Amino acid sequence: DGGITQSPKYLFRKEGQNVTLSCEQNLNHDAMYWYRQDPGQGLRLIYYSQIVNDFQKGDIAEGYSVSREKKESFPLTVTSAQKNPTAFYLCASSPAQGQDQPQHFGDGTRLSIL
Amino acid sequence: GENVEQHPSTLSVQEGDSAVIKCTYSDSASNYFPWYKQELGKRPQLIIDIRSNVGEKKDQRIAVTLNKTAKHFSLHITETQPEDSAVYFCAASSPAGSSNTGKLIFGQGTTLQVKP
C-alpha cells in the first residue's frame, strides 16, 4: 500500500490551534476517507469523499474539516473546536465507493496535545 | 444504519492452534466483508475479503465464512504463528444507493496473541 502517503507521522497541537494532516495518493482512486482510531476502539469515520470537490460527513465530523481540490489529495484539519484530538488518524482510499472494493490505508498520523 | 459487532475483544492461543474471530452485522443489504490486520503502530492491511455471492473463501492459513441468513461472518486462522499476533478488524459495506452509501463500517477489533 505504498501509494498512500500521510504526513507528518507525529504531530503536536497547542491549545486553540488548528492543525492540518496531509494525505496524498497516487493510486488514481476516486474515493478517500479519514478515520480516527482510539485505543481499544475500532476505526471511526470522520469524513469521506467520492469525487473531487465533494465530501460528506462521517460519524464523528464535529471539530474537523476537509477539502478535496485534487483527486490525489484529501487533507484533514483538526480545529480548535475538537476538544479531544489525541488519537491515531488514518487516511484511506478505494477505487470507487460502494462497489465492494477494499480500502487501502496510509501509515497514519499520531496527534497529541502539548 | 449498519452496525458491526466483533467478538472476542481479546484472544490468546498457543502456537499451532486455530483462532476464530466472529462478526455480526445489522444491514441485510451489506454485500462486502473485508478483514484487516493491524500490527502495533502500523496501518491496517487487508488480509482477506468476501462478497455476498459466496459462502467461504480461503487463502493458505486464513479463511472467511459468511452466513447471510444469520448475518454473521467469521475469520479462521489455522496453524497460528507468533507473527499472527496483531489486532484484527472486520468490516461490512453496503452497495451505493443504500442507506450506508458504500461506507465501510468496522468492528471494534480483536487483539490476537499467539504464544510460542
Side-chain angles (χ1 to χ4, degrees):
Chain A
D1 296 291
I4 301 177
T5 302
Q6 288 188 242
S7 62
K9 189 171 183 177
Y10 299 96
L11 186 59
F12 298 91
R13 196 193 86 170
K14 296 179 181 178
E15 291 288 339
Q17 185 182 41
N18 293 352
V19 292
T20 297
L21 285 60
S22 171
C23 179
E24 304 278 332
Q25 54 99 0
N26 60 4
L27 301 169
N28 200 33
H29 285 173
D30 286 321
M32 297 187 74
Y33 313 82
W34 273 106
Y35 293 92
R36 171 177 172 144
Q37 187 175 31
D38 294 282
Q41 297 194 34
L43 282 69
R44 293 186 290 168
L45 184 64
I46 305 172
Y47 268 98
Y48 61 103
S49 169
Q50 300 179 62
I51 197 169
V52 174
N53 292 322
D54 185 55
F55 49 83
Q56 287 80 40
K57 292 181 179 180
D59 301 317
I60 56 166
E62 186 174 352
Y64 301 96
S65 66
V66 294
S67 63
R68 187 83 186 278
E69 297 177 0
K70 298 186 299 181
K71 186 176 185 179
E72 302 80 18
S73 179
F74 191 41
L76 173 75
T77 297
V78 184
T79 74
S80 57
Q82 173 50 247
K83 298 306 179 186
N84 183 24
T86 298
F88 189 47
Y89 291 86
L90 287 160
C91 177
S93 70
S94 65
Q97 186 165 330
Q99 295 186 12
D100 65 9
Q101 296 293 319
Q103 293 183 14
H104 303 263
F105 286 86
D107 284 329
T109 293
R110 194 166 297 277
L111 176 62
S112 303
I113 295 180
L114 279 178
Chain B
E2 173 69 283
N3 183 51
V4 177
E5 297 287 336
Q6 183 172 347
H7 299 280
S9 57
T10 59
L11 180 60
S12 182
V13 300
Q14 287 295 134
E15 182 177 1
D17 288 349
S18 296
V20 180
I21 302 170
K22 299 181 180 180
C23 289
T24 60
Y25 60 97
S26 59
D27 186 354
S28 57
S30 291
N31 65 345
Y32 177 63
F33 308 91
W35 285 88
Y36 288 86
K37 175 184 180 182
Q38 186 180 28
E39 297 178 2
L40 190 63
K42 296 190 176 180
R43 69 175 80 186
Q45 293 197 311
L46 180 74
I47 54 171
I48 196 167
D49 57 8
I50 191 168
R51 292 168 176 79
S52 59
N53 58 343
V54 298
E56 184 174 358
K57 183 176 179 181
K58 189 173 182 180
D59 182 4
Q60 299 182 333
R61 295 186 298 109
I62 295 173
V64 57
T65 58
L66 171 65
N67 183 328
K68 287 194 295 181
T69 302
K71 291 190 283 187
H72 67 71
F73 56 112
S74 300
L75 177 72
H76 304 253
I77 306 174
T78 59
E79 301 173 22
T80 53
Q81 302 167 3
E83 50 264 40
D84 293 330
S85 297
V87 179
Y88 292 81
F89 292 98
C90 64
S93 174
S94 305
S98 66
S99 60
N100 285 314
T101 62
K103 294 182 292 184
L104 272 183
I105 307 299
F106 286 85
Q108 297 300 301
T110 296
T111 300
L112 173 64
Q113 181 185 28
V114 180
K115 298 178 180 178

